[in-house]
Amino acid sequence: MIDKAALQRVREEGDLFELIAAIPYAKTLGMSCERFGDDMIFTLPPRDTNLGNPILPAIHGGVIGGFMEMSAGLYLMLQQDAPKLPRIVDFSIDFLRAGLNRSTFAECRLTRQGNRVANVTVWCWQKSRQEPTATARAHFIL
């Protein structure tokens, strides 16, 4: 669990390393994040431990789904005041292409935020944003 002061520091400095290091699954996947103004691009580096099909080689679908879910949760957490990872209610993913063993990127958008629920849309790509690997919709309880 990350404290409120650390979350504030992450928001001000824009370096999410401390935040990602505090979440074991994100750390296991090797996730990182870069901020470009208000935009955040999450990165999943190529790793043999993330492969589901070593013959292609292709990233396991669960790894891509977990990466996108963690990206949505971290993105939403930075939009909130409370220093906790929002609880996921529903996550729906559309796999559009095989995720090959290369750098994979994700970008999130807050679709709607109410008092109790927030909806986040996630796009995941490798070679080009115009050719997404997967898209997802996540619903969180705040």
Side-chain angles (χ1 to χ4, degrees):
M1 185 73 177
I2 193 161
D3 62 36
K4 198 167 190 164
L7 182 61
Q8 185 61 32
R9 191 172 48 252
V10 167
R11 285 182 178 143
E12 290 172 2
E13 297 173 1
D15 183 10
L16 277 74
F17 176 78
E18 183 179 356
L19 193 62
I20 290 172
I23 302 170
Y25 188 59
K27 190 176 172 182
T28 300
L29 293 179
M31 285 179 62
S32 62
C33 179
E34 290 186 54
R35 293 188 82 157
F36 302 96
D38 291 337
D39 294 333
M40 288 187 277
I41 304 294
F42 295 90
T43 304
L44 178 69
R47 286 186 170 182
D48 288 343
T49 56
N50 291 341
L51 294 180
N53 184 342
I55 295 171
L56 289 179
I59 301 171
H60 192 279
V63 170
I64 293 173
F67 168 62
M68 294 175 80
E69 184 180 328
M70 290 302 304
S71 298
L74 288 167
Y75 175 80
L76 183 57
M77 190 166 95
L78 291 173
Q79 307 297 317
Q80 307 295 310
D81 290 332
K84 65 178 184 178
L85 198 59
R87 291 186 302 156
I88 192 142
V89 176
D90 182 42
F91 187 80
S92 176
I93 187 167
D94 296 321
F95 292 100
L96 305 173
R97 292 177 176 75
L100 301 177
N101 193 23
R102 59 175 77 143
S103 293
T104 306
F105 307 97
E107 183 174 30
C108 305
R109 289 281 177 246
L110 184 61
T111 308
R112 181 182 183 278
Q113 180 178 348
N115 291 330
R116 303 167 108 191
V117 177
N119 301 335
V120 177
T121 304
V122 186
W123 291 270
C124 181
W125 72 94
Q126 292 187 312
K127 193 174 173 184
S128 165
R129 284 185 187 204
Q130 283 69 41
E131 297 176 4
T133 304
T135 59
R137 293 153 308 282
H139 303 154
F140 294 92
I141 290 181
L142 303 175

